[in-house]
Amino acid sequence: MAKHQVENMGHSESRLSRSFGWLNVTQFAGALNDNIFKLLIVFFLIHANGAEKAGTISATAGAVFVVPFLLFSSAAGILADRISKQRIIVAVKVIEVIVMLLGTVAFFTGSEAGLYLTLFLMASQSALFGPAKYGIVPEIVRTEQLSRANSFIESFTYLAIIAGTAVAPLLSMISANYALAAVWCVAVAIVGLLTSLKIDQTSPAGSNRKASLFFLGEIWETLGSIRRDGYLFLAVIGSAYFMFTAAFSQINLIPYGIEKLGLIQEQSGYLFFVAALGIGIGSYLSGRLSGRNIEFGVVPVGAITLSISLAALHLVPAELTAVLTAIFALGIGAGLFIVPLQSFIQFRSPSDRRGEVLATAGFLGWVSVLLASGLVYLLTGHLGLSASDGFIIIGALTMLMTLITLFILPDFLVRFLTLICVKVFYRIRVIGLNNIPVSGPALLVPNHVSWVDALLLSATQQRRIRFLMERSIYETRYLKQLLKLMGVIPISSDDPPKEILRSIKAAREAIAAGYMVCIFAEGAVTRNGMIQSFREGLERIVKGTEAPVIPVYLGGLWGSIFSYAHGKLVSRWPVRLPYPVTIIFGRPLSSGCAVNEVRQAVEELSCDYFNSKKSDRRSLSEALIRSVRKHWRHPAISDSTGRRLSFGKMLTASLLLSTEFRKKTAGSDSVGVLLPSSVGGVLVNIGLTMLGKVPVNLNYTASLQAVCSAVKQCGIKRIITSRAFMEKISLVEIPADYLYLEDISERTSFAVKLQAWIRARLIPAGSLVKRKGFDPDRPATIIFSSGSTGDPKGIVLSHHNIMSNV
């Protein structure tokens, strides 16, 4: 049996690189410094000029901080594409230390102009940092880790915002000296510089483009180039809208808290803490939901959450708990919304222009911040609306954007929600997930066990899969619209030749477009649980392409309510919720492989599936006891003599026999059984298995020489049979001691039978059998060939073998 690399889903999300860890610490220190130092400057200026000028000072400081992002974002993006992003990050951190020192001097001298200059320089170095920070992520993590990496960056950024906003007032109060407080920022900047040196060196992207003073023209040109990629353009616009919503919420929450909750200005400022916490958690959740790929299905979910929570801020009663809940939900929605977009911009941007695209997205984001400030001023200053009214207006605008998103990406949302439902009702264990390419075409070829196979396979992937599906299933009333939305390609062996060719052509076109395509090569859901023959259409789909063929095995689905294990579909209640399923992806085969090679690979994966269950195996005896307890009065066995036993009577009789066998078979591992296929033969086999013995059923139709050979090979000293049976056959010269069933039944008292019934009915299964030291590969029985061409050959079947076949 072939050996396959097996890795479960938890292992597929391997640890992010150390270099990314240092990048995250570096950017956290920078974001922390930005927030602390900016607030220290604002507090100092308000203290020096009086509280009546607080609004003017805050607005001026905000403008000074935003302008560098507008002026230098384009140049920063071009720079990031020309030289090593790691070198830019280190240089920016050196500049940050210098700027913090200049700011400390400005505090010491009390120079307001110096503080405004420091704020401008701080924002300038942050503007230079942005494209390099986001652009280096695809260079130091693998593509399948992009969403996860961005979720950490966003989470730590907003954690830095929370920490900075909380620490700044404490530093100013504890030190009672702004210059001394600024020294702490110098220390943080030095930490950021040291951690930046730990980031691995990266190569320049190779762009030769030069920056220009006419940066608006460059921004417009970049927008024009990315408009040709519709999805990338929409991601950039969505990212800018996130900045607009976040800025509007941050600005509007201060008057909202004053008007709605009666808070003072400083208390209202802390409301954004809750939103920032929500964004951090939402970003982390988005990364977890995306897994190895960029999950666009999260974007509409985030947009819907964002819309509802913005509207809720207008609708909820003026109670702190209700308001904080709405604000937290707002943050969660924003976090879910931004991470897939940011990851997609990094992934989709051309490698030699990634910094340029990220800079353009950043520029649009900061323009959105200014627009948000202007909108707050327009709504509250000129139109006289309340802050609460502002939130309902933005909520309506966001809902409009959400509807547009749903119109453009309906399949992503429906697929995402469907997968959530699948994961609720199924517990899916995935093995070999790294055998699936993160990008590019591939043909998946699984066995076909149930009517939900396609949904279960989709649940293991964030990539879209185009399924070829039996037309009769595709035309099912309740599934057709969902399958159509998923881009399923219907096909049937009953289709006319032209229709079959059309379906195969559609599959080839999907492969050429870079999709993963899945074909259920058996052509129908199995009716007996076995893998049926594969049809040759799969060869035609990948012929002449470079797409790998990936064998897949769906394990555990035979027996589910959507399989034919019980005759009709959904003919009984589920036996377990969530229902356990194992999906194994094998190593890719070449596009030129034959159909029989693919089927062989799937069959080998089925062996891997059963072997993966070996560690959880119980003995045959324990499994039988548990089954008997569920079906105590149901018919179990019968034979041609008319004898019939229920499950309960079968187990009671087997335990009764095992008690008698214990002494008679002491010292023997293997015990011969010389009985016909009958109720008695079943009971003897079960009784011996209960004792941990290996029953060897001797073939009484074989020659005496063959039977004696089997006895010798197994070292059998005791044979269990019956006198009535021995009278009918001529095997009387076998060298072994005989134990007759008639002798056991004659001396069995009522008390012994009652004790056996109590054990069978009431004693826990684990107490009836020996668990300690149990090995699933331990022999359960040995069967022999007839020996017609020489000595009979023994086949050892383990507990695991038989349980797997069951």
Side-chain angles (χ1 to χ4, degrees), residues 19-46:
S19 191
F20 173 79
W22 291 118
L23 171 68
N24 208 12
V25 174
T26 301
Q27 72 92 22
F28 174 83
L32 182 65
N33 246 358
D34 281 351
N35 285 276
I36 293 176
F37 214 89
K38 181 172 67 174
L39 285 176
L40 287 177
I41 289 174
V42 170
F43 293 158
F44 179 88
L45 293 173
I46 292 174

PDB file of all heavy atoms in Angstrom, residues 19-46:
ATOM      1  N   SER A  19      10.500  36.383  10.722  1.00  0.00           N
ATOM      2  CA  SER A  19      10.661  37.702  10.119  1.00  0.00           C
ATOM      3  C   SER A  19       9.351  38.484  10.191  1.00  0.00           C
ATOM      4  O   SER A  19       9.343  39.686  10.489  1.00  0.00           O
ATOM      5  CB  SER A  19      11.106  37.555   8.658  1.00  0.00           C
ATOM      6  OG  SER A  19      11.513  38.794   8.127  1.00  0.00           O
ATOM      7  N   PHE A  20       8.217  37.798   9.947  1.00  0.00           N
ATOM      8  CA  PHE A  20       6.929  38.478  10.050  1.00  0.00           C
ATOM      9  C   PHE A  20       6.649  38.886  11.487  1.00  0.00           C
ATOM     10  O   PHE A  20       6.082  39.956  11.752  1.00  0.00           O
ATOM     11  CB  PHE A  20       5.796  37.589   9.548  1.00  0.00           C
ATOM     12  CG  PHE A  20       4.432  38.192   9.784  1.00  0.00           C
ATOM     13  CD1 PHE A  20       3.948  39.183   8.956  1.00  0.00           C
ATOM     14  CD2 PHE A  20       3.659  37.790  10.866  1.00  0.00           C
ATOM     15  CE1 PHE A  20       2.720  39.771   9.185  1.00  0.00           C
ATOM     16  CE2 PHE A  20       2.425  38.368  11.108  1.00  0.00           C
ATOM     17  CZ  PHE A  20       1.952  39.364  10.259  1.00  0.00           C
ATOM     18  N   GLY A  21       7.050  38.056  12.436  1.00  0.00           N
ATOM     19  CA  GLY A  21       6.859  38.404  13.844  1.00  0.00           C
ATOM     20  C   GLY A  21       7.584  39.692  14.200  1.00  0.00           C
ATOM     21  O   GLY A  21       7.021  40.577  14.875  1.00  0.00           O
ATOM     22  N   TRP A  22       8.817  39.832  13.722  1.00  0.00           N
ATOM     23  CA  TRP A  22       9.565  41.074  13.989  1.00  0.00           C
ATOM     24  C   TRP A  22       8.926  42.258  13.274  1.00  0.00           C
ATOM     25  O   TRP A  22       8.894  43.371  13.808  1.00  0.00           O
ATOM     26  CB  TRP A  22      11.027  40.912  13.564  1.00  0.00           C
ATOM     27  CG  TRP A  22      11.803  39.963  14.416  1.00  0.00           C
ATOM     28  CD1 TRP A  22      12.398  38.800  14.028  1.00  0.00           C
ATOM     29  CD2 TRP A  22      12.066  40.090  15.818  1.00  0.00           C
ATOM     30  NE1 TRP A  22      13.011  38.187  15.099  1.00  0.00           N
ATOM     31  CE2 TRP A  22      12.826  38.962  16.218  1.00  0.00           C
ATOM     32  CE3 TRP A  22      11.724  41.036  16.785  1.00  0.00           C
ATOM     33  CZ2 TRP A  22      13.257  38.771  17.531  1.00  0.00           C
ATOM     34  CZ3 TRP A  22      12.156  40.832  18.099  1.00  0.00           C
ATOM     35  CH2 TRP A  22      12.903  39.721  18.452  1.00  0.00           C
ATOM     36  N   LEU A  23       8.393  42.030  12.064  1.00  0.00           N
ATOM     37  CA  LEU A  23       7.695  43.110  11.356  1.00  0.00           C
ATOM     38  C   LEU A  23       6.485  43.576  12.153  1.00  0.00           C
ATOM     39  O   LEU A  23       6.236  44.786  12.289  1.00  0.00           O
ATOM     40  CB  LEU A  23       7.250  42.633   9.971  1.00  0.00           C
ATOM     41  CG  LEU A  23       6.316  43.589   9.204  1.00  0.00           C
ATOM     42  CD1 LEU A  23       7.054  44.861   8.801  1.00  0.00           C
ATOM     43  CD2 LEU A  23       5.716  42.906   7.979  1.00  0.00           C
ATOM     44  N   ASN A  24       5.744  42.623  12.710  1.00  0.00           N
ATOM     45  CA  ASN A  24       4.535  42.974  13.455  1.00  0.00           C
ATOM     46  C   ASN A  24       4.883  43.772  14.713  1.00  0.00           C
ATOM     47  O   ASN A  24       4.192  44.731  15.074  1.00  0.00           O
ATOM     48  CB  ASN A  24       3.759  41.712  13.815  1.00  0.00           C
ATOM     49  CG  ASN A  24       2.278  41.963  13.955  1.00  0.00           C
ATOM     50  OD1 ASN A  24       1.772  43.022  13.575  1.00  0.00           O
ATOM     51  ND2 ASN A  24       1.562  41.004  14.494  1.00  0.00           N
ATOM     52  N   VAL A  25       5.965  43.382  15.394  1.00  0.00           N
ATOM     53  CA  VAL A  25       6.402  44.140  16.575  1.00  0.00           C
ATOM     54  C   VAL A  25       6.840  45.541  16.161  1.00  0.00           C
ATOM     55  O   VAL A  25       6.528  46.539  16.829  1.00  0.00           O
ATOM     56  CB  VAL A  25       7.550  43.401  17.297  1.00  0.00           C
ATOM     57  CG1 VAL A  25       8.097  44.261  18.440  1.00  0.00           C
ATOM     58  CG2 VAL A  25       7.076  42.060  17.830  1.00  0.00           C
ATOM     59  N   THR A  26       7.547  45.624  15.028  1.00  0.00           N
ATOM     60  CA  THR A  26       8.033  46.922  14.538  1.00  0.00           C
ATOM     61  C   THR A  26       6.874  47.860  14.216  1.00  0.00           C
ATOM     62  O   THR A  26       6.867  49.034  14.616  1.00  0.00           O
ATOM     63  CB  THR A  26       8.898  46.719  13.278  1.00  0.00           C
ATOM     64  OG1 THR A  26      10.004  45.870  13.592  1.00  0.00           O
ATOM     65  CG2 THR A  26       9.431  48.045  12.762  1.00  0.00           C
ATOM     66  N   GLN A  27       5.875  47.345  13.493  1.00  0.00           N
ATOM     67  CA  GLN A  27       4.755  48.211  13.128  1.00  0.00           C
ATOM     68  C   GLN A  27       3.885  48.531  14.345  1.00  0.00           C
ATOM     69  O   GLN A  27       3.306  49.610  14.426  1.00  0.00           O
ATOM     70  CB  GLN A  27       3.931  47.573  12.004  1.00  0.00           C
ATOM     71  CG  GLN A  27       3.087  46.361  12.392  1.00  0.00           C
ATOM     72  CD  GLN A  27       1.686  46.729  12.808  1.00  0.00           C
ATOM     73  OE1 GLN A  27       1.178  47.790  12.453  1.00  0.00           O
ATOM     74  NE2 GLN A  27       1.063  45.862  13.598  1.00  0.00           N
ATOM     75  N   PHE A  28       3.812  47.614  15.311  1.00  0.00           N
ATOM     76  CA  PHE A  28       3.068  47.902  16.544  1.00  0.00           C
ATOM     77  C   PHE A  28       3.723  49.065  17.296  1.00  0.00           C
ATOM     78  O   PHE A  28       3.040  49.980  17.775  1.00  0.00           O
ATOM     79  CB  PHE A  28       3.033  46.657  17.437  1.00  0.00           C
ATOM     80  CG  PHE A  28       2.417  46.889  18.787  1.00  0.00           C
ATOM     81  CD1 PHE A  28       1.042  46.863  18.949  1.00  0.00           C
ATOM     82  CD2 PHE A  28       3.199  47.149  19.904  1.00  0.00           C
ATOM     83  CE1 PHE A  28       0.456  47.086  20.186  1.00  0.00           C
ATOM     84  CE2 PHE A  28       2.633  47.377  21.144  1.00  0.00           C
ATOM     85  CZ  PHE A  28       1.255  47.344  21.287  1.00  0.00           C
ATOM     86  N   ALA A  29       5.059  49.028  17.397  1.00  0.00           N
ATOM     87  CA  ALA A  29       5.777  50.114  18.081  1.00  0.00           C
ATOM     88  C   ALA A  29       5.562  51.442  17.364  1.00  0.00           C
ATOM     89  O   ALA A  29       5.375  52.491  18.000  1.00  0.00           O
ATOM     90  CB  ALA A  29       7.271  49.785  18.161  1.00  0.00           C
ATOM     91  N   GLY A  30       5.568  51.411  16.023  1.00  0.00           N
ATOM     92  CA  GLY A  30       5.352  52.649  15.268  1.00  0.00           C
ATOM     93  C   GLY A  30       3.958  53.208  15.464  1.00  0.00           C
ATOM     94  O   GLY A  30       3.779  54.422  15.671  1.00  0.00           O
ATOM     95  N   ALA A  31       2.938  52.324  15.382  1.00  0.00           N
ATOM     96  CA  ALA A  31       1.559  52.787  15.574  1.00  0.00           C
ATOM     97  C   ALA A  31       1.357  53.296  16.999  1.00  0.00           C
ATOM     98  O   ALA A  31       0.642  54.287  17.227  1.00  0.00           O
ATOM     99  CB  ALA A  31       0.590  51.643  15.270  1.00  0.00           C
ATOM    100  N   LEU A  32       1.962  52.628  17.976  1.00  0.00           N
ATOM    101  CA  LEU A  32       1.870  53.065  19.369  1.00  0.00           C
ATOM    102  C   LEU A  32       2.469  54.462  19.529  1.00  0.00           C
ATOM    103  O   LEU A  32       1.869  55.351  20.159  1.00  0.00           O
ATOM    104  CB  LEU A  32       2.600  52.057  20.264  1.00  0.00           C
ATOM    105  CG  LEU A  32       2.568  52.325  21.773  1.00  0.00           C
ATOM    106  CD1 LEU A  32       1.144  52.222  22.305  1.00  0.00           C
ATOM    107  CD2 LEU A  32       3.488  51.338  22.496  1.00  0.00           C
ATOM    108  N   ASN A  33       3.646  54.687  18.952  1.00  0.00           N
ATOM    109  CA  ASN A  33       4.295  55.990  19.034  1.00  0.00           C
ATOM    110  C   ASN A  33       3.475  57.085  18.366  1.00  0.00           C
ATOM    111  O   ASN A  33       3.363  58.201  18.879  1.00  0.00           O
ATOM    112  CB  ASN A  33       5.686  55.921  18.392  1.00  0.00           C
ATOM    113  CG  ASN A  33       6.781  56.130  19.421  1.00  0.00           C
ATOM    114  OD1 ASN A  33       6.516  56.353  20.598  1.00  0.00           O
ATOM    115  ND2 ASN A  33       8.020  56.062  18.986  1.00  0.00           N
ATOM    116  N   ASP A  34       2.917  56.783  17.191  1.00  0.00           N
ATOM    117  CA  ASP A  34       2.095  57.773  16.487  1.00  0.00           C
ATOM    118  C   ASP A  34       0.978  58.286  17.382  1.00  0.00           C
ATOM    119  O   ASP A  34       0.738  59.491  17.478  1.00  0.00           O
ATOM    120  CB  ASP A  34       1.497  57.154  15.219  1.00  0.00           C
ATOM    121  CG  ASP A  34       2.501  57.098  14.071  1.00  0.00           C
ATOM    122  OD1 ASP A  34       3.584  57.683  14.217  1.00  0.00           O
ATOM    123  OD2 ASP A  34       2.187  56.466  13.050  1.00  0.00           O
ATOM    124  N   ASN A  35       0.286  57.350  18.044  1.00  0.00           N
ATOM    125  CA  ASN A  35      -0.866  57.739  18.855  1.00  0.00           C
ATOM    126  C   ASN A  35      -0.453  58.439  20.144  1.00  0.00           C
ATOM    127  O   ASN A  35      -1.068  59.437  20.549  1.00  0.00           O
ATOM    128  CB  ASN A  35      -1.717  56.498  19.163  1.00  0.00           C
ATOM    129  CG  ASN A  35      -2.530  56.050  17.971  1.00  0.00           C
ATOM    130  OD1 ASN A  35      -3.617  56.566  17.718  1.00  0.00           O
ATOM    131  ND2 ASN A  35      -2.007  55.115  17.204  1.00  0.00           N
ATOM    132  N   ILE A  36       0.598  57.941  20.790  1.00  0.00           N
ATOM    133  CA  ILE A  36       1.030  58.579  22.044  1.00  0.00           C
ATOM    134  C   ILE A  36       1.552  59.989  21.780  1.00  0.00           C
ATOM    135  O   ILE A  36       1.132  60.957  22.425  1.00  0.00           O
ATOM    136  CB  ILE A  36       2.118  57.733  22.736  1.00  0.00           C
ATOM    137  CG1 ILE A  36       1.543  56.387  23.220  1.00  0.00           C
ATOM    138  CG2 ILE A  36       2.714  58.487  23.915  1.00  0.00           C
ATOM    139  CD1 ILE A  36       2.583  55.469  23.835  1.00  0.00           C
ATOM    140  N   PHE A  37       2.467  60.112  20.823  1.00  0.00           N
ATOM    141  CA  PHE A  37       3.116  61.402  20.602  1.00  0.00           C
ATOM    142  C   PHE A  37       2.134  62.440  20.072  1.00  0.00           C
ATOM    143  O   PHE A  37       2.179  63.614  20.463  1.00  0.00           O
ATOM    144  CB  PHE A  37       4.288  61.243  19.632  1.00  0.00           C
ATOM    145  CG  PHE A  37       5.441  62.155  19.930  1.00  0.00           C
ATOM    146  CD1 PHE A  37       6.447  61.753  20.788  1.00  0.00           C
ATOM    147  CD2 PHE A  37       5.517  63.435  19.383  1.00  0.00           C
ATOM    148  CE1 PHE A  37       7.515  62.586  21.085  1.00  0.00           C
ATOM    149  CE2 PHE A  37       6.567  64.266  19.670  1.00  0.00           C
ATOM    150  CZ  PHE A  37       7.573  63.845  20.531  1.00  0.00           C
ATOM    151  N   LYS A  38       1.225  61.998  19.209  1.00  0.00           N
ATOM    152  CA  LYS A  38       0.236  62.932  18.669  1.00  0.00           C
ATOM    153  C   LYS A  38      -0.639  63.487  19.788  1.00  0.00           C
ATOM    154  O   LYS A  38      -0.908  64.701  19.851  1.00  0.00           O
ATOM    155  CB  LYS A  38      -0.635  62.233  17.618  1.00  0.00           C
ATOM    156  CG  LYS A  38      -1.678  63.142  16.972  1.00  0.00           C
ATOM    157  CD  LYS A  38      -2.359  62.443  15.808  1.00  0.00           C
ATOM    158  CE  LYS A  38      -3.193  61.277  16.249  1.00  0.00           C
ATOM    159  NZ  LYS A  38      -3.980  60.679  15.155  1.00  0.00           N
ATOM    160  N   LEU A  39      -1.073  62.624  20.697  1.00  0.00           N
ATOM    161  CA  LEU A  39      -1.915  63.079  21.809  1.00  0.00           C
ATOM    162  C   LEU A  39      -1.130  63.942  22.791  1.00  0.00           C
ATOM    163  O   LEU A  39      -1.671  64.925  23.327  1.00  0.00           O
ATOM    164  CB  LEU A  39      -2.512  61.869  22.537  1.00  0.00           C
ATOM    165  CG  LEU A  39      -3.665  61.162  21.810  1.00  0.00           C
ATOM    166  CD1 LEU A  39      -4.106  59.926  22.564  1.00  0.00           C
ATOM    167  CD2 LEU A  39      -4.845  62.099  21.592  1.00  0.00           C
ATOM    168  N   LEU A  40       0.147  63.599  23.019  1.00  0.00           N
ATOM    169  CA  LEU A  40       0.966  64.440  23.898  1.00  0.00           C
ATOM    170  C   LEU A  40       1.097  65.853  23.335  1.00  0.00           C
ATOM    171  O   LEU A  40       1.014  66.848  24.076  1.00  0.00           O
ATOM    172  CB  LEU A  40       2.357  63.818  24.082  1.00  0.00           C
ATOM    173  CG  LEU A  40       2.457  62.572  24.970  1.00  0.00           C
ATOM    174  CD1 LEU A  40       3.886  62.037  24.977  1.00  0.00           C
ATOM    175  CD2 LEU A  40       1.981  62.853  26.384  1.00  0.00           C
ATOM    176  N   ILE A  41       1.275  65.938  22.026  1.00  0.00           N
ATOM    177  CA  ILE A  41       1.381  67.261  21.388  1.00  0.00           C
ATOM    178  C   ILE A  41       0.070  68.027  21.540  1.00  0.00           C
ATOM    179  O   ILE A  41       0.053  69.218  21.890  1.00  0.00           O
ATOM    180  CB  ILE A  41       1.769  67.103  19.904  1.00  0.00           C
ATOM    181  CG1 ILE A  41       3.222  66.634  19.793  1.00  0.00           C
ATOM    182  CG2 ILE A  41       1.578  68.423  19.145  1.00  0.00           C
ATOM    183  CD1 ILE A  41       3.648  66.300  18.374  1.00  0.00           C
ATOM    184  N   VAL A  42      -1.058  67.346  21.294  1.00  0.00           N
ATOM    185  CA  VAL A  42      -2.364  68.011  21.406  1.00  0.00           C
ATOM    186  C   VAL A  42      -2.604  68.463  22.843  1.00  0.00           C
ATOM    187  O   VAL A  42      -3.041  69.599  23.085  1.00  0.00           O
ATOM    188  CB  VAL A  42      -3.486  67.057  20.927  1.00  0.00           C
ATOM    189  CG1 VAL A  42      -4.859  67.642  21.258  1.00  0.00           C
ATOM    190  CG2 VAL A  42      -3.366  66.814  19.423  1.00  0.00           C
ATOM    191  N   PHE A  43      -2.312  67.578  23.815  1.00  0.00           N
ATOM    192  CA  PHE A  43      -2.505  67.951  25.232  1.00  0.00           C
ATOM    193  C   PHE A  43      -1.643  69.162  25.599  1.00  0.00           C
ATOM    194  O   PHE A  43      -2.092  70.091  26.287  1.00  0.00           O
ATOM    195  CB  PHE A  43      -2.151  66.775  26.152  1.00  0.00           C
ATOM    196  CG  PHE A  43      -3.078  65.596  26.048  1.00  0.00           C
ATOM    197  CD1 PHE A  43      -2.673  64.318  26.442  1.00  0.00           C
ATOM    198  CD2 PHE A  43      -4.373  65.756  25.562  1.00  0.00           C
ATOM    199  CE1 PHE A  43      -3.528  63.245  26.358  1.00  0.00           C
ATOM    200  CE2 PHE A  43      -5.236  64.675  25.473  1.00  0.00           C
ATOM    201  CZ  PHE A  43      -4.814  63.419  25.860  1.00  0.00           C
ATOM    202  N   PHE A  44      -0.388  69.174  25.143  1.00  0.00           N
ATOM    203  CA  PHE A  44       0.523  70.275  25.463  1.00  0.00           C
ATOM    204  C   PHE A  44       0.014  71.592  24.869  1.00  0.00           C
ATOM    205  O   PHE A  44      -0.003  72.638  25.552  1.00  0.00           O
ATOM    206  CB  PHE A  44       1.921  69.963  24.919  1.00  0.00           C
ATOM    207  CG  PHE A  44       2.935  71.050  25.170  1.00  0.00           C
ATOM    208  CD1 PHE A  44       3.676  71.073  26.343  1.00  0.00           C
ATOM    209  CD2 PHE A  44       3.140  72.068  24.240  1.00  0.00           C
ATOM    210  CE1 PHE A  44       4.602  72.076  26.585  1.00  0.00           C
ATOM    211  CE2 PHE A  44       4.054  73.080  24.467  1.00  0.00           C
ATOM    212  CZ  PHE A  44       4.790  73.087  25.641  1.00  0.00           C
ATOM    213  N   LEU A  45      -0.417  71.543  23.609  1.00  0.00           N
ATOM    214  CA  LEU A  45      -0.877  72.758  22.940  1.00  0.00           C
ATOM    215  C   LEU A  45      -2.166  73.285  23.577  1.00  0.00           C
ATOM    216  O   LEU A  45      -2.352  74.497  23.706  1.00  0.00           O
ATOM    217  CB  LEU A  45      -1.084  72.489  21.446  1.00  0.00           C
ATOM    218  CG  LEU A  45       0.200  72.201  20.651  1.00  0.00           C
ATOM    219  CD1 LEU A  45      -0.142  71.787  19.221  1.00  0.00           C
ATOM    220  CD2 LEU A  45       1.112  73.423  20.639  1.00  0.00           C
ATOM    221  N   ILE A  46      -3.062  72.387  23.974  1.00  0.00           N
ATOM    222  CA  ILE A  46      -4.297  72.818  24.647  1.00  0.00           C
ATOM    223  C   ILE A  46      -3.962  73.434  26.000  1.00  0.00           C
ATOM    224  O   ILE A  46      -4.512  74.475  26.385  1.00  0.00           O
ATOM    225  CB  ILE A  46      -5.273  71.622  24.810  1.00  0.00           C
ATOM    226  CG1 ILE A  46      -5.795  71.177  23.445  1.00  0.00           C
ATOM    227  CG2 ILE A  46      -6.438  72.006  25.726  1.00  0.00           C
ATOM    228  CD1 ILE A  46      -6.638  69.916  23.499  1.00  0.00           C
TER     229      ILE A  46
END
